[in-house]
Amino acid sequence: MEYRPLGKTDIKVSKICLGTMTFGEQNTEAEAHEQLDYAVAQGINFIDAAEMYPVPINAATQGRTEQYLGTWLKKRSDREQIILASKVAGPGRKEALGHLRDGPRLSRDHVLQACDASLQRLQTDYIDLYQVHWPSRSTNYFGQLGYRYGKDHHPETIAETLGALGELVAAGKVRQIGLSNETPWGLAEYLSLAKELNLPRIVTVQNPYSLLNRSYEVGLAEFAHRSSVGLLAYSPLAFGVLSGKYVHGQRPEGTRLTRWGQYFTRYTSENAQKVTQAYVELAQQHGLDPAQMALAYVNSRPFLTANIIGATSMDQLRSNIASAELVLSDEVLKGIEAIHDVTPNPCP
């Protein structure tokens, strides 16, 4: 397993990061622990969670992912070898997120409360990487590719959020901080304020990146790369679509898009299915597993710090982790670019 620095820090994380948002919904506690044990045995030292997990959002299950991680950590004696990441939720509709502090915000009090609650569930004294899950301001994320101005409805500023994160670092509860679902402007503002106010510097940005969504390359990739802010790529299989299991209208029982497809329609659009079919056929032409090809492409990007994979079965997990050893040929890479040039970013 290859290890890469977390921003400008001396923390080294595995190129493959284990995502955990299925823990507590699609995966039981025993299954979660089995995945974690296997991942660590394969050299993975980087694990990503969030206070609102598992997905989909549900008041009855919220926090269960971190709880499962906590019971796993408690059984081990190597906490210092694990790089543990989690996230504080940004603001959202009260009917969807009202169970989180009566509607989460990125104010000082909310950030501090969220971190303390996560630490308690995780049964640990510190979080290695604490991230803002999505911005407080009105901007483009979660499927919105283009920016459309909208009035901000929350008074907290980036300075307030960053100040709260700085307090957590000073208290020893958090080692490093990062962003998620961010834009070039947002990252620039955090970096500028960190320098101006002598506050901790952002080390990573966790954004979607896959064969079906390379929007990160437009603007943010260069800015982050030149600023030594690493990409943590999430949804590298576009919610499992790039595995090919949904082609020709298939809906395997128990899968996320079968169960909750109404929440993630960008992955099931006609255009997305058409492009996915092209990538699946390209993989098959070269004797490659479609999922491994898609993951290997993400792994090969020079601006990547870690590729966040997720799985609901051990077979999926084994295959996904094995992608770390796959090197795509020039012919395959040319084929990928040809498909992308015709239909770029069908799943923003």
Side-chain angles (χ1 to χ4, degrees), residues 92-150:
R93 292 175 291 107
K94 198 164 184 178
E95 58 269 28
L97 288 166
H99 55 282
L100 272 175
R101 297 178 296 283
D102 198 31
R105 303 263 294 277
L106 292 177
S107 64
R108 175 183 179 272
D109 288 347
H110 276 241
V111 172
L112 300 184
Q113 289 172 30
C115 185
D116 284 343
S118 286
L119 288 170
Q120 185 174 6
R121 288 188 292 266
L122 291 165
Q123 300 192 54
T124 187
D125 296 328
Y126 65 96
I127 295 169
D128 296 278
L129 177 66
Y130 198 48
Q131 305 153 100
V132 176
H133 207 153
W134 61 87
S136 185
R137 67 190 189 280
S138 174
T139 189
N140 48 310
Y141 55 88
F142 290 151
Q144 182 181 324
L145 185 59
Y147 173 67
R148 296 188 291 273
Y149 176 75

Side-chain angles (χ1 to χ4, degrees), residues 266-331:
R266 62 185 179 277
Y267 298 115
T268 57
S269 69
E270 183 178 347
N271 208 22
Q273 291 182 50
K274 178 182 175 181
V275 179
T276 297
Q277 180 66 40
Y279 283 123
V280 169
E281 290 175 357
L282 175 66
Q284 292 170 343
Q285 288 166 13
H286 292 275
L288 298 172
D289 174 81
Q292 287 194 337
M293 183 188 80
L295 292 173
Y297 181 80
V298 176
N299 294 339
S300 70
R301 298 303 87 192
F303 44 73
L304 180 82
T305 291
N307 187 359
I308 304 175
I309 63 160
T312 54
S313 73
M314 288 302 298
D315 284 344
Q316 287 176 335
L317 184 65
R318 293 185 189 97
S319 178
N320 289 352
I321 293 175
S323 72
E325 306 302 321
L326 177 61
V327 177
L328 300 178
S329 68
D330 289 343
E331 190 176 359

Side-chain angles (χ1 to χ4, degrees), residues 40 53 56 63 109 113 155 159 176 207-208 217 245 289-290 313 323 346:
V40 170
Y53 288 170
D109 288 347
Q113 289 172 30
Q176 301 293 336
N207 273 28
E217 296 175 3
K245 62 187 175 186
D289 174 81
S313 73
S323 72

Side-chain angles (χ1 to χ4, degrees), residues 7 34 43 118 161 229 249 262 281 321 324:
E34 183 182 15
S118 286
T161 303
V229 175
Q262 69 272 26
E281 290 175 357
I321 293 175

Side-chain angles (χ1 to χ4, degrees), residues 197-320:
L197 303 175
N198 194 29
L199 288 169
R201 192 177 191 276
I202 296 298
V203 299
T204 55
V205 58
Q206 183 177 147
N207 273 28
Y209 186 80
S210 72
L211 293 177
L212 297 181
N213 181 3
R214 290 167 53 181
S215 57
Y216 178 83
E217 296 175 3
V218 184
L220 190 50
E222 181 187 9
F223 185 85
H225 192 57
R226 293 186 185 276
S227 302
S228 298
V229 175
L231 170 66
L232 306 182
Y234 81 77
S235 287
L237 290 179
F239 249 57
V241 168
L242 286 164
S243 69
K245 62 187 175 186
Y246 299 111
V247 295
H248 306 305
Q250 298 179 88
R251 289 294 180 271
E253 186 178 352
T255 59
R256 274 178 281 178
L257 288 185
T258 300
R259 296 175 67 179
W260 307 295
Q262 69 272 26
Y263 299 118
F264 307 104
T265 54
R266 62 185 179 277
Y267 298 115
T268 57
S269 69
E270 183 178 347
N271 208 22
Q273 291 182 50
K274 178 182 175 181
V275 179
T276 297
Q277 180 66 40
Y279 283 123
V280 169
E281 290 175 357
L282 175 66
Q284 292 170 343
Q285 288 166 13
H286 292 275
L288 298 172
D289 174 81
Q292 287 194 337
M293 183 188 80
L295 292 173
Y297 181 80
V298 176
N299 294 339
S300 70
R301 298 303 87 192
F303 44 73
L304 180 82
T305 291
N307 187 359
I308 304 175
I309 63 160
T312 54
S313 73
M314 288 302 298
D315 284 344
Q316 287 176 335
L317 184 65
R318 293 185 189 97
S319 178
N320 289 352

